[in-house]
Amino acid sequence: DFRNCIVALADDESMVTRLFQYRFSGDDELVGHSFGNLFIAAMTGITGNFERAVLESSRVLAVRGQILPSTLENVTLCAEVVEKGGDDECICQVEGESQIPRPGRIIQRVYLKPDGVRAYPGALRAILDADLIVIGPGSLYTSIIPNLLIEEIVQAIQVAPAPKVYISNVATQLGETEGFSVEKH
């Protein structure tokens, strides 16, 4: 999601979008990886931590605005899903954001490992100081809800005096929200 935030807020959005969304092809170990994720990983290595990497990436790429993580803890997004195969159904546990959405799969719930993740204090301050809290658009189960699984984030949103707005995606997403109305989102 940081990759997408950087792209959306970059000064030269079209070129940064193409660069950060670029996925390597070929037959080496980079195949399938996005340049944007590798850039952020490299910045983390250079700066020594993820928080500093996000700040420096924003500076280097002339990002307008501020990008803040919900947490600095190392977490894994997991899901309980219903797999359909013919007449059979199986409730399965899957780990990792990219493993969750699949055609024909019904997501029952998403959760974070480990439990009790602490919120990033800067994100809490930004929520409490906001004039308007906008949630979305984005992938419901793999981008929006994961932030709301951090209890301190939810509490900050609840007590913040700012109006809250949810912006739904303009289209449903295969493997996540196909058939969803705005109300179902």
Side-chain angles (χ1 to χ4, degrees), residues 82-91 104:
V82 175
E83 295 275 359
K84 292 185 177 189
D87 293 335
D88 296 330
E89 282 189 0
C90 167
I91 297 179

Side-chain angles (χ1 to χ4, degrees), residues 28-88:
D28 60 15
E29 62 274 358
L30 291 179
V31 70
H33 289 282
S34 73
F35 173 80
N37 287 345
L38 294 175
F39 178 88
I40 294 167
M43 286 297 274
T44 300
I46 290 168
T47 62
N49 67 59
F50 183 72
E51 179 182 15
R52 191 81 201 142
V54 171
L55 292 170
E56 290 300 320
S57 296
S58 295
R59 186 183 62 75
V60 167
L61 297 167
V63 167
R64 299 170 307 232
Q66 188 177 20
I67 302 168
L68 301 170
S70 294
T71 184
L72 290 179
E73 292 184 33
N74 189 11
V75 298
T76 301
L77 182 62
C78 303
E80 185 176 286
V81 299
V82 175
E83 295 275 359
K84 292 185 177 189
D87 293 335
D88 296 330

Side-chain angles (χ1 to χ4, degrees), residues 1 4-5 8 77 97 101 107 134-148 165-174 176-178 180-182 184-185:
D1 286 344
N4 291 328
C5 290
L77 182 62
E97 177 185 346
I107 300 169
V134 179
I135 299 172
S139 300
L140 183 63
Y141 289 106
T142 56
S143 291
I144 294 174
I145 292 175
N147 295 290
L148 302 174
V165 177
Y166 174 69
I167 299 177
S168 180
N169 287 349
V170 295
T172 59
Q173 289 183 278
L174 189 62
E176 280 205 43
T177 58
E178 62 258 49
F180 279 30
S181 63
V182 172
K184 178 73 174 171
H185 273 87

